[in-house]
Amino acid sequence: MEVCLFEPEIAQNAGTIARLCACFGVNLNIIEPASFVIDSKAFKRAGMDYLDKLDINLHDSFQAFRKQYNGRLVLLDVKATLPYYDLKYKPTDCIIFGKESTGVPDDIYELCDEKVLIPMVKNVRSLNVAISAAIGLSEAVRQIKNL
């Protein structure tokens, strides 16, 4: 199980997700360009002393990431129709989260093997990406640990 951030925009969110990955024992992939320097003060502050407890892999593009990662790509996205808890996760899955402002472009959306969403009440747009990561990753890990 791994997590991937597609061109993240907010260092604090990425740092928080890095800390989440460390706590769950999963690797973090970041597809560049990020809107911040990975070793920035804000990223490090949110990641705290957990950043040395996980592998953070940087990729120049989605295509470069895809060449290196052979598992199933599971995109958590507001445009999806399948609830995240209805997908049967696999230990080799990578859960992908898009940019905070726009998600992923349509071509990247189509390249993902599975698309899931967190169901929410009407008239709200989205959750914070770090909250979404915690929800999605915790369900995947819960399922895998029960295998």
Side-chain angles (χ1 to χ4, degrees), residues 128-142:
N128 173 281
V129 69
I131 298 296
S132 297
I135 292 169
L137 183 58
S138 65
E139 174 61 16
V141 169
R142 183 194 68 80

Side-chain angles (χ1 to χ4, degrees), residues 75 77 79-81 104-113 115:
L75 177 66
D77 191 274
K79 297 181 298 250
T81 57
V104 298
D106 291 340
D107 61 326
I108 302 299
Y109 185 92
E110 293 305 320
L111 291 172
C112 292
D113 302 301
K115 294 101 174 167

